[in-house]
Every structure is written in C-alpha cells, then in structure tokens.
Amino acid sequence: MGESYEDLKQVLSTNEALAIICYNKHRHQGLVSCARISEMTKVPINKVKESCAKLEELKVIKIHRTGYDAEVEILDQEDSHTRHIIDEVIWENKAEYGKIYKKLITAELFEYINEGK
C-alpha cells in the first residue's frame, strides 16, 4: 500500500483529478468527457488528459477514446480501497474541491440561462 497509496493520493490531489472526481460525483453518470471537464473548469484539456493517463496507469479510471476527446469511467465503485482514498483526498483538499464544484455549478447555471434565450 505504501508507495502506490502515496502516488495515488498525489495524482488525485491535482486540480484536474479533483475536477474529474467532482464532475463524476455531481453528475452521477458513468462516463465523463475530458472536453466537458476542461470547458467547465477552465483547465486546459491536455492537463486533464495527462491526469487521466496517470490515473489509468494506477487503475483508478478507464479511458474510452472518442476521437480527439476521451471519456473517463471511474472504477471506484469496484474497489472500496480506492473509494476510501478518493474520499480522503476530497476531505484533505476540501477548499479546492469546493472551488471546482462552484465552477461546475456556475457553468451549468449559465448554460441553463443561455438555453432559455
């Protein structure tokens, strides 16, 4: 558990990984679009994809490539150890996670308002 645990916590603590986790928990859906996360959180898509690649190496997510974009499936439902680490990372980074959540909610609100026009 030692080195891989610390590696996983370090990768999950990045803004891009927190955005993936937050979007997945907020939307309660299986697949998460990297482009959508990038658009809503204003994080460059290349950074999101880099984090996804690292998380796939650590067997936290599975990437489904769809042309230029990629959709991410979080595998925490299958592994209680990974789910525990994700919860721990959210707690330790609650301020940054809250900022990301606020960005997601704000982006959805603007989309909703613009659809009504």
Side-chain angles (χ1 to χ4, degrees):
M1 181 161 125
E3 189 173 316
S4 65
Y5 172 78
E6 289 303 321
D7 290 343
L8 182 56
K9 275 187 71 171
Q10 183 178 6
V11 173
L12 287 172
S13 295
T14 64
N15 287 345
E16 300 81 33
L18 285 171
I20 293 166
I21 294 166
C22 185
Y23 190 82
N24 183 64
K25 287 189 174 289
H26 172 64
R27 299 292 274 182
H28 303 290
Q29 63 187 39
L31 297 178
V32 178
S33 166
C34 290
R36 183 79 174 135
I37 292 169
S38 173
E39 175 188 331
M40 293 183 84
T41 60
K42 307 295 187 233
V43 174
I45 192 162
N46 292 338
K47 286 187 146 202
V48 174
K49 286 183 176 182
E50 285 175 19
S51 287
C52 288
K54 291 175 186 175
L55 290 170
E56 187 174 44
E57 287 175 15
L58 294 169
K59 298 182 182 2
V60 174
I61 64 170
K62 180 174 179 168
I63 298 175
H64 303 276
R65 290 175 180 34
T66 56
Y68 177 71
D69 194 13
E71 292 184 332
V72 178
E73 176 183 3
I74 297 183
L75 304 174
D76 71 335
Q77 293 82 11
E78 300 171 12
D79 183 6
S80 64
H81 175 69
T82 303
R83 200 170 41 240
H84 172 73
I85 294 172
I86 289 172
D87 290 342
E88 188 176 324
V89 167
I90 290 170
W91 179 253
E92 290 175 0
N93 298 285
K94 59 186 170 251
E96 189 59 39
Y97 186 85
K99 289 177 189 175
I100 292 168
Y101 184 76
K102 183 178 177 182
K103 284 182 184 179
L104 292 176
I105 296 298
T106 304
E108 286 184 349
L109 177 63
F110 282 126
E111 285 178 5
Y112 177 75
I113 291 169
N114 289 333
E115 286 177 5
K117 289 183 178 180

Short mmCIF file of all heavy atoms in Angstrom, two decimals, residues 13-57:
data_model
loop_
_atom_site.label_atom_id
_atom_site.label_comp_id
_atom_site.label_asym_id
_atom_site.label_seq_id
_atom_site.Cartn_x
_atom_site.Cartn_y
_atom_site.Cartn_z
N SER A 13 -4.81 14.50 -5.97
CA SER A 13 -4.84 15.83 -5.35
C SER A 13 -4.66 16.96 -6.35
O SER A 13 -4.80 18.13 -5.98
CB SER A 13 -3.76 15.93 -4.27
OG SER A 13 -4.05 15.03 -3.22
N THR A 14 -4.37 16.65 -7.61
CA THR A 14 -4.23 17.71 -8.61
C THR A 14 -5.60 18.28 -8.94
O THR A 14 -6.62 17.61 -8.79
CB THR A 14 -3.57 17.17 -9.91
OG1 THR A 14 -4.44 16.19 -10.50
CG2 THR A 14 -2.21 16.58 -9.64
N ASN A 15 -5.61 19.51 -9.41
CA ASN A 15 -6.88 20.16 -9.76
C ASN A 15 -7.63 19.39 -10.84
O ASN A 15 -8.86 19.31 -10.81
CB ASN A 15 -6.64 21.60 -10.22
CG ASN A 15 -6.28 22.51 -9.09
OD1 ASN A 15 -6.46 22.18 -7.93
ND2 ASN A 15 -5.73 23.67 -9.42
N GLU A 16 -6.89 18.85 -11.80
CA GLU A 16 -7.54 18.13 -12.90
C GLU A 16 -8.23 16.87 -12.39
O GLU A 16 -9.37 16.58 -12.75
CB GLU A 16 -6.51 17.75 -13.97
CG GLU A 16 -5.80 18.92 -14.60
CD GLU A 16 -4.65 19.47 -13.76
OE1 GLU A 16 -3.98 18.70 -13.06
OE2 GLU A 16 -4.43 20.70 -13.81
N ALA A 17 -7.54 16.12 -11.53
CA ALA A 17 -8.14 14.90 -10.98
C ALA A 17 -9.32 15.23 -10.06
O ALA A 17 -10.34 14.54 -10.09
CB ALA A 17 -7.09 14.08 -10.23
N LEU A 18 -9.18 16.29 -9.27
CA LEU A 18 -10.30 16.71 -8.42
C LEU A 18 -11.50 17.10 -9.28
O LEU A 18 -12.64 16.83 -8.91
CB LEU A 18 -9.88 17.87 -7.52
CG LEU A 18 -8.98 17.53 -6.34
CD1 LEU A 18 -8.48 18.81 -5.68
CD2 LEU A 18 -9.70 16.66 -5.34
N ALA A 19 -11.24 17.73 -10.43
CA ALA A 19 -12.34 18.11 -11.32
C ALA A 19 -13.03 16.87 -11.88
O ALA A 19 -14.27 16.83 -11.98
CB ALA A 19 -11.81 18.98 -12.46
N ILE A 20 -12.27 15.85 -12.24
CA ILE A 20 -12.85 14.60 -12.74
C ILE A 20 -13.72 13.96 -11.67
O ILE A 20 -14.85 13.56 -11.93
CB ILE A 20 -11.74 13.62 -13.19
CG1 ILE A 20 -11.01 14.19 -14.42
CG2 ILE A 20 -12.31 12.24 -13.48
CD1 ILE A 20 -9.71 13.47 -14.74
N ILE A 21 -13.21 13.89 -10.46
CA ILE A 21 -13.95 13.30 -9.35
C ILE A 21 -15.22 14.11 -9.06
O ILE A 21 -16.31 13.56 -8.92
CB ILE A 21 -13.07 13.23 -8.08
CG1 ILE A 21 -11.92 12.25 -8.29
CG2 ILE A 21 -13.89 12.83 -6.87
CD1 ILE A 21 -10.82 12.36 -7.24
N CYS A 22 -15.06 15.42 -8.99
CA CYS A 22 -16.19 16.30 -8.67
C CYS A 22 -17.27 16.18 -9.73
O CYS A 22 -18.46 16.05 -9.41
CB CYS A 22 -15.70 17.74 -8.56
SG CYS A 22 -16.96 18.90 -8.03
N TYR A 23 -16.90 16.23 -10.99
CA TYR A 23 -17.88 16.14 -12.07
C TYR A 23 -18.59 14.79 -12.03
O TYR A 23 -19.81 14.73 -12.18
CB TYR A 23 -17.19 16.34 -13.43
CG TYR A 23 -18.16 16.49 -14.57
CD1 TYR A 23 -18.74 17.73 -14.82
CD2 TYR A 23 -18.49 15.42 -15.38
CE1 TYR A 23 -19.64 17.89 -15.86
CE2 TYR A 23 -19.37 15.58 -16.43
CZ TYR A 23 -19.95 16.81 -16.67
OH TYR A 23 -20.84 16.96 -17.70
N ASN A 24 -17.84 13.74 -11.79
CA ASN A 24 -18.45 12.41 -11.71
C ASN A 24 -19.43 12.31 -10.54
O ASN A 24 -20.54 11.81 -10.69
CB ASN A 24 -17.37 11.34 -11.59
CG ASN A 24 -17.95 9.95 -11.60
OD1 ASN A 24 -18.54 9.51 -12.57
ND2 ASN A 24 -17.79 9.25 -10.49
N LYS A 25 -19.04 12.81 -9.39
CA LYS A 25 -19.93 12.75 -8.22
C LYS A 25 -21.14 13.66 -8.39
O LYS A 25 -22.23 13.32 -7.97
CB LYS A 25 -19.17 13.11 -6.95
CG LYS A 25 -18.21 12.03 -6.49
CD LYS A 25 -17.65 12.33 -5.14
CE LYS A 25 -16.80 11.20 -4.62
NZ LYS A 25 -17.55 10.02 -4.24
N HIS A 26 -20.94 14.82 -9.01
CA HIS A 26 -22.03 15.77 -9.20
C HIS A 26 -23.04 15.26 -10.22
O HIS A 26 -24.24 15.40 -10.03
CB HIS A 26 -21.46 17.12 -9.65
CG HIS A 26 -22.49 18.12 -10.05
ND1 HIS A 26 -23.40 18.62 -9.16
CD2 HIS A 26 -22.76 18.69 -11.24
CE1 HIS A 26 -24.20 19.47 -9.79
NE2 HIS A 26 -23.82 19.53 -11.05
N ARG A 27 -22.57 14.68 -11.30
CA ARG A 27 -23.45 14.25 -12.39
C ARG A 27 -23.98 12.83 -12.21
O ARG A 27 -24.92 12.46 -12.88
CB ARG A 27 -22.72 14.35 -13.73
CG ARG A 27 -22.27 15.76 -14.05
CD ARG A 27 -23.41 16.66 -14.31
NE ARG A 27 -23.75 16.53 -15.71
CZ ARG A 27 -24.69 17.20 -16.32
NH1 ARG A 27 -25.39 18.06 -15.66
NH2 ARG A 27 -24.93 17.02 -17.58
N HIS A 28 -23.36 12.04 -11.37
CA HIS A 28 -23.79 10.66 -11.13
C HIS A 28 -23.94 9.87 -12.44
O HIS A 28 -24.94 9.21 -12.66
CB HIS A 28 -25.11 10.60 -10.35
CG HIS A 28 -25.06 11.31 -9.06
ND1 HIS A 28 -24.35 10.85 -7.99
CD2 HIS A 28 -25.64 12.47 -8.65
CE1 HIS A 28 -24.49 11.67 -6.97
NE2 HIS A 28 -25.26 12.67 -7.35
N GLN A 29 -22.97 9.99 -13.30
CA GLN A 29 -23.04 9.26 -14.55
C GLN A 29 -21.78 8.43 -14.72
O GLN A 29 -20.77 8.70 -14.11
CB GLN A 29 -23.23 10.21 -15.73
CG GLN A 29 -22.08 11.17 -15.93
CD GLN A 29 -22.41 12.20 -17.01
OE1 GLN A 29 -23.53 12.67 -17.09
NE2 GLN A 29 -21.44 12.53 -17.82
N GLY A 30 -21.87 7.45 -15.59
CA GLY A 30 -20.76 6.53 -15.78
C GLY A 30 -19.57 7.14 -16.49
O GLY A 30 -18.46 7.05 -16.01
N LEU A 31 -19.80 7.77 -17.62
CA LEU A 31 -18.69 8.30 -18.41
C LEU A 31 -18.63 9.82 -18.29
O LEU A 31 -19.64 10.50 -18.33
CB LEU A 31 -18.84 7.91 -19.88
CG LEU A 31 -18.80 6.41 -20.17
CD1 LEU A 31 -19.02 6.15 -21.65
CD2 LEU A 31 -17.50 5.79 -19.71
N VAL A 32 -17.41 10.33 -18.18
CA VAL A 32 -17.17 11.75 -18.02
C VAL A 32 -16.29 12.21 -19.18
O VAL A 32 -15.23 11.64 -19.41
CB VAL A 32 -16.45 12.05 -16.68
CG1 VAL A 32 -16.16 13.51 -16.53
CG2 VAL A 32 -17.26 11.52 -15.52
N SER A 33 -16.72 13.21 -19.92
CA SER A 33 -15.97 13.73 -21.07
C SER A 33 -14.85 14.65 -20.60
O SER A 33 -15.07 15.59 -19.85
CB SER A 33 -16.92 14.50 -21.99
OG SER A 33 -16.20 15.26 -22.92
N CYS A 34 -13.63 14.38 -21.08
CA CYS A 34 -12.49 15.24 -20.75
C CYS A 34 -12.70 16.65 -21.27
O CYS A 34 -12.37 17.63 -20.60
CB CYS A 34 -11.20 14.66 -21.33
SG CYS A 34 -10.65 13.16 -20.52
N ALA A 35 -13.26 16.78 -22.48
CA ALA A 35 -13.52 18.10 -23.05
C ALA A 35 -14.52 18.88 -22.20
O ALA A 35 -14.36 20.08 -21.97
CB ALA A 35 -14.03 17.97 -24.48
N ARG A 36 -15.52 18.19 -21.71
CA ARG A 36 -16.55 18.83 -20.87
C ARG A 36 -15.94 19.33 -19.56
O ARG A 36 -16.22 20.44 -19.12
CB ARG A 36 -17.67 17.83 -20.60
CG ARG A 36 -18.81 18.40 -19.83
CD ARG A 36 -19.68 19.22 -20.74
NE ARG A 36 -20.85 19.63 -19.99
CZ ARG A 36 -21.34 20.85 -20.03
NH1 ARG A 36 -20.81 21.74 -20.81
NH2 ARG A 36 -22.38 21.17 -19.31
N ILE A 37 -15.10 18.51 -18.95
CA ILE A 37 -14.43 18.91 -17.71
C ILE A 37 -13.54 20.11 -17.97
O ILE A 37 -13.55 21.09 -17.21
CB ILE A 37 -13.60 17.75 -17.13
CG1 ILE A 37 -14.53 16.65 -16.64
CG2 ILE A 37 -12.70 18.22 -16.00
CD1 ILE A 37 -13.83 15.37 -16.29
N SER A 38 -12.79 20.08 -19.05
CA SER A 38 -11.91 21.18 -19.42
C SER A 38 -12.71 22.46 -19.63
O SER A 38 -12.34 23.53 -19.14
CB SER A 38 -11.13 20.83 -20.69
OG SER A 38 -10.41 21.92 -21.16
N GLU A 39 -13.80 22.35 -20.35
CA GLU A 39 -14.65 23.51 -20.65
C GLU A 39 -15.25 24.11 -19.39
O GLU A 39 -15.23 25.32 -19.20
CB GLU A 39 -15.76 23.06 -21.59
CG GLU A 39 -16.79 24.10 -21.92
CD GLU A 39 -17.95 23.51 -22.71
OE1 GLU A 39 -17.74 22.53 -23.45
OE2 GLU A 39 -19.07 24.03 -22.57
N MET A 40 -15.76 23.28 -18.52
CA MET A 40 -16.47 23.78 -17.33
C MET A 40 -15.53 24.30 -16.25
O MET A 40 -15.89 25.20 -15.50
CB MET A 40 -17.38 22.70 -16.77
CG MET A 40 -18.53 22.37 -17.69
SD MET A 40 -19.64 21.17 -16.99
CE MET A 40 -20.67 22.25 -16.01
N THR A 41 -14.33 23.73 -16.15
CA THR A 41 -13.41 24.13 -15.09
C THR A 41 -12.31 25.08 -15.57
O THR A 41 -11.50 25.54 -14.78
CB THR A 41 -12.75 22.90 -14.44
OG1 THR A 41 -12.03 22.18 -15.44
CG2 THR A 41 -13.77 22.02 -13.76
N LYS A 42 -12.28 25.34 -16.87
CA LYS A 42 -11.28 26.23 -17.47
C LYS A 42 -9.86 25.71 -17.27
O LYS A 42 -8.92 26.47 -17.12
CB LYS A 42 -11.39 27.66 -16.93
CG LYS A 42 -12.77 28.26 -17.01
CD LYS A 42 -13.22 28.46 -18.43
CE LYS A 42 -14.53 29.21 -18.48
NZ LYS A 42 -15.55 28.57 -19.25
N VAL A 43 -9.71 24.38 -17.29
CA VAL A 43 -8.40 23.74 -17.21
C VAL A 43 -8.09 23.23 -18.62
O VAL A 43 -8.96 22.63 -19.26
CB VAL A 43 -8.43 22.55 -16.21
CG1 VAL A 43 -7.14 21.79 -16.24
CG2 VAL A 43 -8.73 23.05 -14.81
N PRO A 44 -6.87 23.48 -19.13
CA PRO A 44 -6.55 23.00 -20.48
C PRO A 44 -6.78 21.49 -20.63
O PRO A 44 -6.46 20.72 -19.73
CB PRO A 44 -5.06 23.34 -20.63
CG PRO A 44 -4.81 24.43 -19.65
CD PRO A 44 -5.77 24.18 -18.51
N ILE A 45 -7.33 21.11 -21.78
CA ILE A 45 -7.67 19.71 -21.98
C ILE A 45 -6.45 18.80 -21.92
O ILE A 45 -6.55 17.66 -21.48
CB ILE A 45 -8.46 19.51 -23.30
CG1 ILE A 45 -9.05 18.10 -23.32
CG2 ILE A 45 -7.60 19.78 -24.50
CD1 ILE A 45 -10.17 17.89 -24.29
N ASN A 46 -5.30 19.30 -22.33
CA ASN A 46 -4.09 18.47 -22.28
C ASN A 46 -3.75 18.09 -20.83
O ASN A 46 -3.30 16.97 -20.57
CB ASN A 46 -2.91 19.19 -22.93
CG ASN A 46 -3.10 19.34 -24.42
OD1 ASN A 46 -3.85 18.59 -25.04
ND2 ASN A 46 -2.41 20.30 -25.00
N LYS A 47 -3.96 19.01 -19.90
CA LYS A 47 -3.70 18.71 -18.49
C LYS A 47 -4.70 17.67 -17.97
O LYS A 47 -4.34 16.79 -17.20
CB LYS A 47 -3.77 19.98 -17.63
CG LYS A 47 -2.59 20.89 -17.80
CD LYS A 47 -2.67 22.01 -16.79
CE LYS A 47 -1.27 22.36 -16.39
NZ LYS A 47 -1.21 23.02 -15.12
N VAL A 48 -5.95 17.80 -18.39
CA VAL A 48 -6.97 16.83 -17.99
C VAL A 48 -6.59 15.45 -18.52
O VAL A 48 -6.63 14.46 -17.79
CB VAL A 48 -8.37 17.25 -18.48
CG1 VAL A 48 -9.39 16.16 -18.20
CG2 VAL A 48 -8.80 18.56 -17.83
N LYS A 49 -6.18 15.39 -19.79
CA LYS A 49 -5.81 14.10 -20.39
C LYS A 49 -4.56 13.50 -19.74
O LYS A 49 -4.48 12.29 -19.58
CB LYS A 49 -5.61 14.26 -21.89
CG LYS A 49 -6.92 14.43 -22.64
CD LYS A 49 -6.69 14.52 -24.13
CE LYS A 49 -7.99 14.58 -24.89
NZ LYS A 49 -7.77 14.62 -26.34
N GLU A 50 -3.60 14.34 -19.36
CA GLU A 50 -2.40 13.85 -18.66
C GLU A 50 -2.79 13.21 -17.33
O GLU A 50 -2.29 12.13 -16.99
CB GLU A 50 -1.42 15.00 -18.41
CG GLU A 50 -0.66 15.46 -19.62
CD GLU A 50 0.21 16.68 -19.33
OE1 GLU A 50 0.51 16.95 -18.14
OE2 GLU A 50 0.58 17.36 -20.30
N SER A 51 -3.66 13.88 -16.59
CA SER A 51 -4.11 13.31 -15.32
C SER A 51 -4.85 12.01 -15.55
O SER A 51 -4.69 11.06 -14.78
CB SER A 51 -5.02 14.29 -14.58
OG SER A 51 -4.27 15.34 -14.05
N CYS A 52 -5.65 11.97 -16.60
CA CYS A 52 -6.39 10.74 -16.91
C CYS A 52 -5.43 9.59 -17.20
O CYS A 52 -5.65 8.46 -16.75
CB CYS A 52 -7.32 10.96 -18.10
SG CYS A 52 -8.75 11.99 -17.72
N ALA A 53 -4.37 9.88 -17.96
CA ALA A 53 -3.40 8.84 -18.29
C ALA A 53 -2.74 8.30 -17.02
O ALA A 53 -2.57 7.08 -16.86
CB ALA A 53 -2.36 9.38 -19.26
N LYS A 54 -2.37 9.20 -16.10
CA LYS A 54 -1.76 8.78 -14.84
C LYS A 54 -2.74 7.95 -14.00
O LYS A 54 -2.36 6.93 -13.42
CB LYS A 54 -1.29 9.99 -14.03
CG LYS A 54 -0.12 10.71 -14.64
CD LYS A 54 0.20 11.96 -13.85
CE LYS A 54 1.27 12.79 -14.52
NZ LYS A 54 1.52 14.06 -13.83
N LEU A 55 -4.00 8.39 -13.97
CA LEU A 55 -5.00 7.67 -13.19
C LEU A 55 -5.31 6.31 -13.81
O LEU A 55 -5.60 5.35 -13.10
CB LEU A 55 -6.28 8.50 -13.05
CG LEU A 55 -6.15 9.72 -12.15
CD1 LEU A 55 -7.39 10.61 -12.29
CD2 LEU A 55 -5.94 9.31 -10.71
N GLU A 56 -5.22 6.22 -15.13
CA GLU A 56 -5.44 4.92 -15.78
C GLU A 56 -4.30 3.96 -15.45
O GLU A 56 -4.53 2.77 -15.20
CB GLU A 56 -5.59 5.08 -17.29
CG GLU A 56 -5.99 3.79 -17.97
CD GLU A 56 -6.29 3.94 -19.44
OE1 GLU A 56 -5.52 4.63 -20.15
OE2 GLU A 56 -7.30 3.36 -19.88
N GLU A 57 -3.07 4.47 -15.40
CA GLU A 57 -1.92 3.65 -15.01
C GLU A 57 -2.10 3.10 -13.60
O GLU A 57 -1.70 1.97 -13.31
CB GLU A 57 -0.63 4.46 -15.07
CG GLU A 57 -0.14 4.76 -16.46
CD GLU A 57 1.08 5.67 -16.45
OE1 GLU A 57 1.71 5.84 -15.38
OE2 GLU A 57 1.40 6.22 -17.51
#
